[in-house]
Amino acid sequence: MRPLPALIATCVVLSGCAAGSSGEDPAVASPSSSTSERTAEPAVDPAAPVADLHVECDGEAGPTVVLVAGLGTSGDAFSDLQDELAGTARTCFYDRAGIGDSAPLDDAAPDPSPGSAAADLRATLEAEDIEPPYVLLGWSYGGLVAQAYAADFPDDLAGLVLEDPSVREQFTDATLDNPDIDWSEGGRDVDRDALVRQLAGLDLGDLPVTVLSQDLDEPWIEAWWVTHDRLARATTDGVHAIGLGSGHAMHEDAPRLVARAVVATWTAAEAGTPLPGCREVFRGVRVRCRV
């Protein structure tokens, strides 16, 4: 899916003019070249947003919750969460290009990035008549896509939930650089340079934002939590909680926690009120609040 401005595909008209035979006025187009210009089909811009990604929705009440999966992962990883949330809000998951039931990117298309994925998501939601505002949940690499969506299309969003999200610092800070991660999906490498540019200086304004972090005993975990603090503080209305005992796939390890985060963010978005404090949001759930 691509952003609204990108929905206008660039039309490339292919034509050629050969010099005429001796004595022919080069300013007068030959009949064949004129016919070619009249009948040439506009080429599809390979960089235009993809608007036909596979989407599945359940539930009715808005704002619509859109679940954005991790790197190379089909949206149906969220099937159980969708079932849990559908009684509260219309909830959709989808497959990015080249994943699950979505076709791969055109060979001529640029390598994927969070910004291009956000544009594809927006174009697909528009094509499916799934109207904003949305509450996005982004998990792992999907968290980068959700951040890019918030940066590029802030007026589309009513709330944001980031489930142990990947962060820009993984590409700029050696402490968080993990050479074992294969940053590719759909058979294409992620454009890391574009990613770093797209997510620089993220400002989420007053958007309700709930950030969740894994709880592993690793030497880099404090630095990880600090980057998630940054995301929660990129808005005037953010909370950040660590899911005690949870690993990276928090919707599997701590489904109650993730559902609570989405419902709290969705409720604030629907009512147009600020999020409650972290401890109130997660009362009765095993968390440690940081923001």
Side-chain angles (χ1 to χ4, degrees), residues 157-290:
L157 297 190
L160 187 64
V161 179
L162 298 172
E163 178 193 340
D164 207 39
S166 297
V167 290
R168 183 177 184 269
E169 287 87 341
Q170 288 175 266
F171 305 89
T172 62
D173 184 343
T175 303
L176 293 174
D177 178 23
N178 184 348
D180 294 331
I181 297 177
D182 177 14
W183 292 100
S184 64
E185 64 174 16
R188 303 284 293 272
D189 290 337
V190 171
D191 187 337
R192 303 186 193 192
D193 291 339
L195 181 159
V196 170
R197 292 194 306 271
Q198 291 161 357
L199 298 176
L202 182 66
D203 182 353
L204 298 174
D206 60 357
L207 186 70
V209 177
T210 303
V211 185
L212 303 175
S213 297
Q214 63 176 294
D215 180 29
L216 295 182
D217 184 14
E218 296 285 354
W220 44 262
I221 196 67
E222 180 63 32
W224 185 247
W225 291 338
V226 167
T227 66
H228 290 177
D229 289 343
R230 172 183 64 78
L231 292 172
R233 290 179 174 132
T235 172
T236 59
D237 188 19
V239 300
H240 174 206
I242 298 167
L244 297 181
S246 178
H248 182 52
M250 302 182 75
H251 56 280
E252 297 176 357
D253 294 346
R256 184 180 173 210
L257 168 63
V258 176
R260 179 76 64 84
V262 175
V263 170
T265 307
W266 182 90
T267 300
E270 184 188 40
T273 58
L275 280 165
C278 181
R279 288 178 177 80
E280 183 177 347
V281 169
F282 297 111
R283 183 176 291 129
V285 182
R286 297 184 65 244
V287 301
R288 181 162 71 252
C289 291
R290 287 182 61 103

Side-chain angles (χ1 to χ4, degrees), residues 54 56 66-85 91-96 99-101 137-142 163 248-255 258:
H54 175 75
E56 293 187 28
V66 181
L67 308 174
V68 188
L71 190 70
T73 303
S74 173
D76 64 10
F78 288 123
S79 294
D80 289 345
L81 180 60
Q82 182 189 51
D83 291 343
E84 174 74 19
L85 297 173
T91 305
C92 304
F93 63 74
Y94 78 106
D95 295 332
R96 287 189 295 277
I99 301 171
D101 292 324
L137 178 146
W139 166 50
S140 192
Y141 178 78
E163 178 193 340
H248 182 52
M250 302 182 75
H251 56 280
E252 297 176 357
D253 294 346
V258 176

